[in-house]
Amino acid sequence: MTVDGEPGVVVQDAAYEAMLDRLEQLEAVTGIQRGIDSAKAGKGRPLDEFLAEMRRKHSIAPPA
């Protein structure tokens, strides 16, 4: 970080770091919950279907 072109220092206390960690965890849990809700609603598709599409799309040979 610079301040007016000069090197600067950023000091964060432990409480701020803990808040950032908690926010990251909350965002992860929210994403997981969206996935669970989507699956319960019947959205999505079988893994083998997805993998076959990705192999075709990216020219990846199936595993031996």
Side-chain angles (χ1 to χ4, degrees):
M1 175 183 142
T2 60
V3 178
D4 296 326
E6 297 293 320
V9 176
V10 176
V11 177
Q12 297 175 347
D13 68 2
Y16 182 74
E17 288 294 327
M19 182 184 69
L20 290 179
D21 290 344
R22 182 73 175 132
L23 177 60
E24 185 177 336
Q25 181 183 22
L26 184 59
E27 288 172 341
V29 169
T30 300
I32 292 166
Q33 187 61 55
R34 273 196 304 260
I36 291 169
D37 293 345
S38 179
K40 285 181 179 178
K43 298 177 184 174
R45 58 187 165 154
L47 178 60
D48 57 342
E49 236 179 66
F50 169 78
L51 292 175
E53 179 184 332
M54 288 297 108
R55 287 187 187 105
R56 282 192 305 275
K57 182 177 178 179
H58 299 287
S59 303
I60 300 170

